[in-house]
Amino acid sequence: MEIHQVGKQIVLTSRLEDVGHLPLKELKTLGGGTAVGMDPIGTKEGDWVFTIANSAARDAAGAKRLLTDLTVSGIIDNWQD
């Protein structure tokens, strides 16, 4: 699991069927990188979240058939450094 900050929603005009219809969000890493992940929980821009990656991301998205390797799995309300 990793911590990311949610950026903007990504709009696709066309998708492979197995990508499904969950929203895709820009996710900013703590190190300044950018990733894209499925968002089955309905985050908003600026939320801090934890994500699940690799094959477990498909389960977290709700179905093994979904083509994803990064899924938002929870919104962080607070954490201590």
Side-chain angles (χ1 to χ4, degrees):
M1 288 186 253
E2 291 188 26
I3 294 174
H4 291 89
Q5 187 172 33
V6 178
K8 298 193 181 293
Q9 182 164 330
I10 295 172
V11 178
L12 303 175
T13 58
S14 182
R15 298 183 189 212
L16 293 172
E17 183 177 325
D18 287 339
V19 172
H21 294 286
L22 290 175
L24 299 175
K25 301 286 177 81
E26 170 193 30
L27 300 171
K28 300 172 187 174
T29 67
L30 293 174
T34 302
V36 174
M38 287 190 169
D39 179 14
I41 62 174
T43 63
K44 63 183 185 310
E45 190 173 344
D47 282 344
W48 286 97
V49 298
F50 72 91
T51 58
I52 295 177
N54 304 317
S55 62
R58 292 178 178 207
D59 288 329
K64 286 191 182 289
R65 70 167 185 78
L66 294 175
L67 298 177
T68 184
D69 64 354
L70 189 62
T71 300
V72 174
S73 301
I75 299 171
I76 299 171
D77 296 316
N78 189 10
W79 87 79
Q80 309 242 337
D81 292 352

